[in-house]
Amino acid sequence: KQVEFLGDHLFSREMAGLLYDLANREDTAMLRKHAMQIGSSFSRDVDILKADYKIQMIGAGLFLLLLTSFAIWFMRNYRRLILSRKFKVSKMHLVIIHSPVMVSIFITGALIRFIFPDLPGTFHSLNFLVFMFPMLILVSRIFGREIRIWFLILILLYTLTFFYELTYDPDILLRMVMLFFSLTALVLFVWIYVKKPTSLNFNKTLVYKLLRLLLLILNILLVIAVIANFVGAFSLAEFFTLMPIQIVLLAVGVQLATKIVDAMVFLFLASKNVQQFNVVKDGFRDIYKRTSWVLDLLLWIFFFSMALSIFRVRDAFVAWGNGLMTNGIKVGAVEITLWSVILFFLVIWGSILLT
C-alpha cells in the first residue's frame, strides 16, 4: 500500500512553490503543532511496543548483558585462549577486542533490526540511533579520524530526520527543514565522492566501484530533491532526501560489520581448542580467507537487498529475478534454466574449494 501510494503521488505537485509558500505563510504556531504531533506519535508507538514487543525487548536486553559479559571476559583472557605466538593479532582485531561494550551494542542493535523489522516506527528509528553510537566510536577507532567528522555529521542529520518522521501535515517549516537535510547531505556526499576516503579499507574492488556508483546516483537524487522541494513536489523531495541518508549509513554499518566478522573468524580459528584439529591447523590461512570472503559476501548481499527495500523496488526486483531464474529454454525433453546452470557451476566451485 505504501508503494502504491508513493507511486501515485511521487511525481505530483502537492503544494505551491517553496518561495511562494514562504512569502505567504500564515500559521504562527507551527512549532507547537509539530511538538504535539511528535508527542502523540511517540505515545502511540510506546503503547504498541508494550502490547506486542515487551517480551522480545526483555529478551534483547538479557542477550545484550550476556554478550557484553562474554566480550569483557574474552578481552581479559584472549591471550591465553589463542595461540598468540603463532598468530599475530592485527591492530584492527585489537581495537575490536578492546571495545567489548561497543561491539556488543552494535551486534545487538543489528540483530534487533534484522529479527524485528516491523517494530513501531519510533522504536525502529530509536534502535538505529542507539545502534549508531557504537558505530561512531568503532568507526573512529578502526577507520581513523579521516571520516569521523563527516560520519558524525551524518549521524546528527539522521537524528534530526528521526524527529522529522514523527510529524505529519507538511507545512513551510517542514519544507525548510527538508531543504536543510537535502543540501547538507548533498555537500557531505559530494565531499565523500571527491575525497575518496581510503581509511574505509574496502578490500574488494568491485564492491568499492559499485558503492561509488551508488553514491553518484544518490547525489543526483539529492539534487532532484532540492529542485522538487522548490517547485512543490514535496513527496518526491522527501523520498529522495531521506533515502540516501539511510543507504549511506547502512553501507558504513555493513563495512563495519565485515571488520567485526573478520575478527571473530580469526580469533575463533586461532583459538587453542580449534587449533587441535589438524584440518584447521594446516589450512588456517585458506579457511580464514574463504570463510571471511563468504561472510563478507553475505553481508554485502544483505546491504543491496536492504538498499532495494529502501528504494521500494525489492519486491519488483525479486519477482523479476525469480522469473529470470525459473523461466527456462526447452531442449527436447529437458528444460534448462539459468538457476540450474548457476547451481551446476556452484557445485563444481564448491567441490574445488573443499579439495
Side-chain angles (χ1 to χ4, degrees):
K1 291 182 179 180
Q2 288 181 343
V3 175
E4 292 176 358
F5 178 82
L6 190 61
D8 293 339
H9 295 78
L10 189 59
F11 296 102
S12 61
R13 293 182 59 186
E14 306 104 318
M15 53 193 70
L18 179 65
L19 297 180
Y20 177 85
D21 207 1
L22 185 63
N24 294 276
R25 63 186 181 90
E26 298 177 356
D27 191 356
T28 59
M30 290 181 289
L31 282 175
R32 183 167 64 251
K33 180 183 71 175
H34 290 306
M36 292 176 63
Q37 291 174 351
I38 291 173
S40 174
S41 299
F42 186 79
S43 299
R44 183 179 63 252
D45 285 351
V46 167
D47 294 336
I48 296 174
L49 187 74
K50 289 180 179 179
D52 299 335
Y53 294 95
K54 186 176 182 179
I55 297 176
Q56 291 89 332
M57 291 301 101
I58 293 175
L62 293 175
F63 175 80
L64 175 61
L65 289 176
L66 291 174
L67 185 60
T68 304
S69 301
F70 172 78
I72 294 174
W73 173 84
F74 185 85
M75 178 188 66
R76 295 174 178 174
N77 298 278
Y78 76 93
R79 290 185 181 85
R80 66 179 182 84
L81 294 173
I82 66 172
L83 296 175
S84 53
R85 294 183 179 180
K86 183 178 179 181
F87 302 107
K88 183 179 179 180
V89 181
S90 67
K91 182 180 179 181
M92 182 195 70
H93 294 162
L94 287 174
V95 168
I96 293 173
I97 291 172
H98 290 281
S99 306
V101 178
M102 296 297 101
V103 171
S104 299
I105 296 174
F106 178 84
I107 293 175
T108 304
L111 288 176
I112 290 175
R113 191 170 181 84
F114 181 74
I115 297 173
F116 307 113
D118 297 325
L119 273 177
T122 300
F123 292 94
H124 195 274
S125 300
L126 191 59
N127 170 65
F128 199 50
L129 288 177
V130 175
F131 173 68
M132 283 192 297
F133 175 71
M135 275 180 63
L136 176 62
I137 303 298
L138 291 171
V139 162
S140 301
R141 293 176 181 177
I142 294 176
F143 303 124
R145 297 181 178 180
E146 184 182 8
I147 66 168
R148 182 174 62 185
I149 295 177
W150 74 257
F151 189 64
L152 177 60
I153 295 172
L154 191 61
I155 288 179
L156 293 175
L157 199 58
Y158 182 83
T159 303
L160 293 176
T161 65
F162 163 69
F163 291 103
Y164 166 84
E165 289 182 335
L166 293 176
T167 63
Y168 37 90
D169 296 332
D171 51 25
I172 185 58
L173 178 61
L174 290 190
R175 295 183 70 181
M176 294 301 296
V177 170
M178 184 56 60
L179 183 63
F180 169 76
F181 290 162
S182 304
L183 292 175
T184 305
L186 180 61
V187 171
L188 197 59
F189 295 170
V190 168
W191 182 90
I192 299 171
Y193 188 84
V194 173
K195 291 294 184 179
K196 302 178 184 178
T198 56
S199 57
L200 280 173
N201 192 22
F202 286 98
N203 296 325
K204 297 171 180 59
T205 306
L206 178 61
V207 172
Y208 175 72
K209 290 182 178 180
L210 287 175
L211 289 176
R212 277 187 60 79
L213 176 61
L214 178 61
L215 190 60
L216 177 62
I217 294 172
L218 296 181
N219 281 320
I220 295 172
L221 295 182
L222 285 168
V223 172
I224 296 174
V226 173
I227 298 173
N229 199 350
F230 271 99
V231 300
F234 187 75
S235 294
L236 183 65
E238 184 180 50
F239 183 59
F240 280 3
T241 298
L242 300 181
M243 177 182 59
I245 296 172
Q246 295 172 3
I247 289 177
V248 172
L249 280 171
L250 179 64
V252 176
V254 169
Q255 176 65 0
L256 179 58
T258 61
K259 302 304 177 186
I260 295 176
V261 167
D262 180 271
M264 293 172 67
V265 171
F266 176 86
L267 294 170
F268 175 75
L269 294 176
S271 65
K272 293 179 180 178
N273 292 331
V274 176
Q275 282 294 309
Q276 292 177 0
F277 298 97
N278 291 330
V279 175
V280 178
K281 184 177 181 181
D282 297 336
F284 171 81
R285 291 193 177 278
D286 287 338
I287 296 174
Y288 166 57
K289 288 182 179 179
R290 291 172 182 175
T291 305
S292 298
W293 185 88
V294 170
L295 293 175
D296 286 358
L297 178 63
L298 292 175
L299 284 170
W300 283 113
I301 289 175
F302 169 74
F303 163 76
F304 284 107
S305 173
M306 292 300 298
L308 290 174
S309 179
I310 294 172
F311 273 111
R312 306 290 197 275
V313 296
R314 184 170 63 180
D315 292 340
F317 181 82
V318 170
W320 172 80
N322 186 53
L324 182 66
M325 289 291 184
T326 56
N327 294 334
I329 302 174
K330 285 189 176 182
V331 181
V334 180
E335 185 177 6
I336 301 175
T337 64
L338 181 60
W339 170 244
S340 62
V341 174
I342 293 175
L343 186 61
F344 172 75
F345 283 106
L346 283 176
V347 170
I348 294 176
W349 178 67
S351 300
I352 294 173
L353 286 181
L354 290 175
T355 56

